Amino acid sequence: MAQLAFQTQKQYREKSETLFRGVGQEAKYLKRQFAKVYDHLTYPMSRQDDLHKFCNLAVTWKEETKFSSSIRDIALNPSYMEIIGMGGKVIPFILHDLTLNRAHWFPALRALTGFSPVIRVHWGNVKEMTKDWLNWGKENGYI
């Protein structure tokens, strides 16, 4: 059922993207809000498995913070906080996302693990910080 709902939502989003080409930012914003309501009504968060819930929250977080350069705003986003609230079971999902994207998962990983494997000379260098966390994930069986 989760696969079917996910495919249906994905197909809906792909179709809606073609319908909204060439329109202004306000229309795109309204489309995103409508898509969130549609997703919630067709597959509420309370019935989603952990991976599906993580993916939806991560997409929402990235969309809402894509123009923010403030680490504080990025890390205090409600979707980001909800991901942290899911607990250690999301560590593999976050590390997998780090292999694909350079999203700023570092505060979440630190909150979930209680420490940071990033060495001091890598602080502020997203590429090197990502490598440190991915190495840690491999060493600890998360990847």
Side-chain angles (χ1 to χ4, degrees), residues 1-141:
M1 170 112 173
Q3 284 271 349
L4 179 61
F6 184 74
Q7 289 174 350
T8 304
Q9 291 173 13
K10 183 178 178 185
Q11 291 168 348
Y12 169 79
R13 285 192 179 118
E14 288 171 356
K15 183 170 178 99
S16 69
E17 285 299 320
T18 61
L19 296 173
F20 282 88
R21 285 193 184 133
V23 298
Q25 290 300 319
E26 294 86 5
K28 288 180 182 179
Y29 172 79
L30 289 173
K31 186 218 56 115
R32 285 191 303 272
Q33 296 304 318
F34 177 77
K36 286 180 187 177
V37 171
Y38 177 83
D39 287 351
H40 179 72
L41 292 175
T42 57
Y43 201 62
M45 284 275 198
S46 61
R47 293 183 20 213
Q48 293 178 9
D49 61 20
D50 292 332
L51 177 59
H52 194 145
K53 183 176 180 179
F54 170 80
C55 290
N56 282 335
L57 289 168
V59 166
T60 302
W61 165 64
K62 290 175 184 178
E63 181 67 28
E64 291 174 352
T65 61
K66 68 182 174 186
F67 297 116
S68 180
S69 60
S70 166
I71 302 304
R72 181 182 180 280
D73 291 345
I74 291 170
L76 292 178
N77 176 275
S79 296
Y80 193 86
M81 298 301 290
E82 192 168 343
I83 289 170
I84 294 171
M86 291 175 71
K89 61 189 169 193
V90 297
I91 293 171
F93 307 150
I94 292 173
L95 293 173
H96 178 71
D97 191 67
L98 268 178
T99 64
L100 304 174
N101 309 296
R102 287 202 182 136
H104 206 81
W105 287 114
F106 312 116
L109 285 166
R110 185 176 174 99
L112 292 164
T113 63
F115 82 105
S116 175
V118 178
I119 59 176
R120 184 175 289 266
V121 295
H122 292 166
W123 289 1
N125 183 332
V126 174
K127 185 177 179 180
E128 294 301 321
M129 292 170 69
T130 299
K131 283 182 189 177
D132 290 342
W133 273 107
L134 294 177
N135 288 337
W136 175 88
K138 289 175 188 164
E139 292 170 3
N140 290 280

